[in-house]
Amino acid sequence: QVQLVESGGGLVQAGGSLRLSCLASGRSFTNYIMGWFRQAPGKEREFVAGISWSGGNTYYGDSVKGRFTISKNNAKNTVYLQMNSLKPEDTAVYYCAADLTGINWNSGYWGQGTQVTVSS
């Protein structure tokens, strides 16, 4: 059974940092693009960052460039999202996802999400 399990969310003050983890299991993700998305109440889902599992190429949404860093640990089958200089507008449920193309994420795998709350 394929699973993506997020962890590391919580409450942090503005300017602080958090590191999210996504443990992937149930299949090989070698050919997949791994991504982080977020969704705040009343807003559409937003792409945050992506990384190719094999090549390590990284991609970022404009709102997080320079503040967030996506990385991976192949041995641990885990993808990370290091979030620095957090702002209240970063408050959202953060989801880990995996897709073969990195284009049609809805056809891929998704985790259950982890809540990140940034207080002002």
Side-chain angles (χ1 to χ4, degrees), residues 3-45:
Q3 282 191 309
L4 301 178
V5 180
E6 303 97 336
S7 61
L11 174 63
V12 64
Q13 287 188 333
S17 299
L18 280 176
R19 188 177 80 158
L20 305 183
S21 300
C22 172
L23 175 61
S25 63
R27 67 162 298 141
S28 170
F29 289 91
T30 301
N31 296 321
Y32 278 72
I33 309 294
M34 305 298 294
W36 286 98
F37 290 77
R38 67 187 182 187
Q39 189 164 21
K43 295 188 177 181
E44 294 187 352
R45 187 176 66 193

Side-chain angles (χ1 to χ4, degrees), residues 69-118:
T69 303
I70 189 170
S71 62
K72 61 184 176 68
N73 184 318
N74 289 357
K76 294 184 177 181
N77 276 359
T78 300
V79 177
Y80 304 98
L81 184 68
Q82 178 67 44
M83 306 185 294
N84 298 329
S85 302
L86 283 161
K87 305 174 182 180
E89 51 264 44
D90 293 318
T91 295
V93 178
Y94 284 70
Y95 297 92
C96 177
D99 183 64
L100 280 171
T101 65
I103 298 174
N104 186 14
W105 291 94
N106 288 334
S107 65
Y109 301 104
W110 288 82
Q112 292 301 306
T114 185
Q115 176 71 45
V116 171
T117 303
V118 184

